[in-house]
Amino acid sequence: SVFLLLVAIIAALLFVFPAEMYVSATETLKYTLLPFGVKEGTSPIIYGLFAANIGLIALSFMAIFQYKNRRKQLKTSRLLMLLSAMQVSLLFVFNLYNAEGYAKSYTWASYLPLGTIIFALLAGVFIKKDEELVRSADRIR
């Protein structure tokens, strides 16, 4: 549950801290994963990143509250890993701003989705261990 909560916290941090910066001679544009108030030239990829981030938060809380059904919780944690991998690929492959004369740079927040993958993986490992422990205890009876 702690790892799933960390996934939700990291995903929420992506709404606050800018993931990409575009620097030109006159201005600097900072992009968080919020699609509100976007400038002209912003790629529609930001809507996919926003949806993936909302999905990460919702699925991680859903997985936390599925503690009685560990199989569903394990499937949800695997879905979290897949969604995080999709978010990482969208973030690093595509540009959020399409304009000439801007240099793209990543901030430290760009690498936060990698943390969500790791924490979702750790959650899955410990959920699986817990399920195996419960099954072994059922055999002893």
Side-chain angles (χ1 to χ4, degrees):
S1 296
V2 172
F3 292 123
L4 294 170
L5 184 63
L6 286 173
V7 169
I9 290 171
I10 289 174
L13 287 176
L14 286 170
F15 287 137
V16 178
F17 297 108
E20 290 184 3
M21 288 181 14
Y22 293 90
V23 181
S24 74
T26 58
E27 67 178 331
T28 300
L29 302 173
K30 296 180 181 181
Y31 277 92
T32 61
L33 297 188
L34 289 173
F36 309 116
V38 294
K39 296 185 178 214
E40 186 178 328
T42 302
S43 173
I45 297 297
I46 197 163
Y47 297 111
L49 287 168
F50 175 73
N53 212 26
I54 290 291
L56 280 173
I57 294 171
L59 282 174
S60 62
F61 279 117
M62 189 175 86
I64 289 171
F65 292 114
Q66 289 178 340
Y67 58 89
K68 290 186 180 184
N69 191 347
R70 282 177 293 281
R71 288 185 182 182
K72 269 189 176 178
Q73 198 175 27
L74 185 61
K75 287 179 183 178
T76 306
S77 70
R78 289 180 180 158
L79 185 61
L80 279 170
M81 284 189 293
L82 180 69
L83 197 58
S84 295
M86 183 193 76
Q87 188 179 30
V88 167
S89 64
L90 284 176
L91 188 62
F92 286 108
V93 172
F94 298 105
N95 290 331
L96 293 181
Y97 188 68
N98 299 323
E100 297 297 321
Y102 284 89
K104 177 181 177 180
S105 65
Y106 297 106
T107 64
W108 62 271
S110 311
Y111 302 101
L112 285 177
L114 297 173
T116 60
I117 293 173
I118 292 168
F119 287 132
L121 176 71
L122 287 173
V125 166
F126 285 107
I127 291 167
K128 190 173 181 180
K129 280 186 181 180
D130 192 35
E131 180 67 24
E132 290 171 359
L133 181 67
V134 168
R135 286 181 185 225
S136 69
D138 284 344
R139 278 187 238 131
I140 292 174
R141 291 185 200 176

